[in-house]
Amino acid sequence: MYRVTIDRDACDGVFACLTRDSRFVEDDDGLATFDTDEGSVEQTDETVVGTFDDERVADAEDAAAACPLDAITVEAVEGKR
Ligand code: SF4
């Protein structure tokens, strides 16, 4: 399992992430969020945290690397599979 966090204070709607990982989508505020049909997503004013258990961690890491504002963090989560 892994967790992907979008820092919405840092995010400036560049949307480089969207082309790397289709789970990233634009929300009504013009900032990045996740397609909520996948994984579990928790959103606050400051962050969107998605927890996923699939083989697409490399896509998320590509999105994080592409973000010019370093608004995306990918980290492993201990847990049952
Ligand atoms: S690339 Fe970064 S700044 Fe741009 S929309 Fe995605 S998270 Fe936000």
Side-chain angles (χ1 to χ4, degrees), residues 1-4 23 39-40 42 49-58 60-61 73-81:
M1 288 217 310
Y2 57 100
R3 182 185 301 133
V4 185
R23 290 171 292 186
S40 84
E42 292 175 46
V49 180
T51 305
F52 304 98
D53 189 8
D54 56 30
E55 306 306 316
R56 298 171 64 191
V57 64
E61 287 172 342
T73 306
V74 182
E75 55 196 339
V77 180
E78 298 293 324
K80 47 190 180 298
R81 288 187 62 96

Side-chain angles (χ1 to χ4, degrees), residues 9-27:
D9 285 338
C11 174
D12 199 23
V14 182
F15 298 123
C17 52
L18 270 57
T19 61
R20 270 71 175 191
D21 185 332
S22 60
R23 290 171 292 186
F24 289 84
V25 295
E26 180 176 357
D27 74 3

